[in-house]
Amino acid sequence: MIIRNLKDIRASDRNVKSDGWASARLLLDDDKMGFSFHLTTMFAGSELKMHYQNHLEAVLVLKGTGTIEDLDSGQTHELKAGVLYALNENDRHIVRPETDLLTACVFNPPVTGGEVHDENGAYPAAEPALTS
Amino acid sequence: MIIRNLKDIRASDRNVKSDGWASARLLLDDDKMGFSFHLTTMFAGSELKMHYQNHLEAVLVLKGTGTIEDLDSGQTHELKAGVLYALNENDRHIVRPETDLLTACVFNPPVTGGEVHDENGAYPAAEPALTS
């Protein structure tokens, strides 16, 4: 049994900050669960264009408000506590947080924790982890 | 892209109530994400003995307090907001909520939504879904 505490993760190298978001990686690939589980905050006022070509992702909003634009369908959906979006078709999307958006995120396959978004807003497929 | 709202799920047949817990299944096997994602409340005062022999499960506590006893190691861990437990070895365990425990749960492989706990507190492996 694995026991993790968000407070500890946030004080560790499993807490990743980038442009417009910060993510506490509670479970990663090396935990061998077959998925990774992150608590991610997307910051108010940012515009996050993403396209996970190699991963499926589900995101449950726990707190905050914003929108998600589906770049394939052109539709925009409201985000607030209790709304989940799932990128079941590697959907290209833009998240626009109006307030800080606190979210619980699950990735399949699990991320290793070392990935960075590439120029397309994707994480690479299984590659050696980057260290910065 | 899948968009789900917890309020709608709770009013649907994807909301399952059983002895000591209720679970809103935001994502199930038929969503083809490779995992299922549930918002589950375990009720204050209950004693939930579980053993998922066929699934790995991760549980993040969002609200409430309680304990989890690892029946293999004999250890008991405190549960509160921000604590995650992951049953990476199909661990036999007992959850004892002191207050209602609101949790975000991920199962691998995904559950179909029709499973019931058997006499061991397990969900069966891939079997036809039960309808009641």
Side-chain angles (χ1 to χ4, degrees), chain B residues 34-51:
Chain B
F35 55 84
S36 58
F37 194 170
H38 318 167
L39 211 70
T40 300
T41 304
M42 294 182 269
F43 298 130
S46 55
E47 180 170 291
L48 301 164
K49 185 174 180 179
M50 294 171 277
H51 183 202

Side-chain angles (χ1 to χ4, degrees), chain A:
Chain A
M1 184 181 298
I2 297 168
I3 301 283
R4 298 261 155 80
N5 195 313
L6 180 60
K7 195 170 62 176
D8 300 331
I9 298 290
R10 286 198 163 137
S12 78
D13 62 4
R14 281 177 172 247
N15 198 57
V16 178
K17 293 183 183 180
S18 188
D19 196 20
W21 56 271
S23 185
R25 274 71 188 269
L26 288 157
L27 292 171
L28 287 168
D29 179 59
D30 61 5
D31 292 309
K32 307 293 182 197
M33 294 292 289
F35 54 84
S36 58
F37 195 169
H38 317 168
L39 211 70
T40 300
T41 304
M42 293 181 268
F43 298 129
S46 55
E47 179 170 293
L48 300 164
K49 185 174 180 178
M50 293 172 278
H51 184 202
Y52 297 118
Q53 292 153 295
N54 305 305
H55 299 80
L56 304 181
E57 185 196 20
V59 176
L60 174 64
V61 178
L62 301 176
K63 191 176 178 186
T65 59
T67 61
I68 181 168
E69 181 180 351
D70 180 338
L71 292 173
D72 297 316
S73 73
Q75 288 192 300
T76 294
H77 306 277
E78 184 187 4
L79 299 178
K80 60 182 181 181
V83 172
L84 173 138
Y85 65 85
L87 307 167
N88 60 324
E89 296 178 318
N90 306 102
D91 313 66
R92 297 179 306 128
H93 63 290
I94 301 176
V95 175
R96 295 182 177 92
E98 292 158 1
T99 66
D100 285 358
L101 274 178
L102 179 66
T103 64
C105 309
V106 183
F107 280 82
N108 170 28
V111 303
T112 63
E115 297 90 346
V116 293
H117 288 140
D118 66 16
E119 67 275 16
N120 298 314
Y123 288 143
E127 298 253 346
L130 301 172
T131 55
S132 64

Side-chain angles (χ1 to χ4, degrees), chain B residues 53-116:
Chain B
Q53 292 153 295
N54 306 305
H55 299 79
L56 303 181
E57 186 196 20
V59 176
L60 174 64
V61 178
L62 302 176
K63 191 176 177 185
T65 60
T67 61
I68 181 169
E69 181 179 352
D70 180 339
L71 292 173
D72 297 316
S73 73
Q75 287 192 301
T76 294
H77 306 277
E78 183 186 4
L79 299 177
K80 61 182 180 181
V83 172
L84 173 138
Y85 65 84
L87 306 167
N88 60 323
E89 296 179 318
N90 306 101
D91 314 66
R92 297 180 306 127
H93 64 289
I94 300 176
V95 175
R96 295 182 176 91
E98 293 157 1
T99 66
D100 284 359
L101 274 178
L102 178 66
T103 63
C105 309
V106 183
F107 280 82
N108 171 27
V111 304
T112 65
E115 298 90 346
V116 293

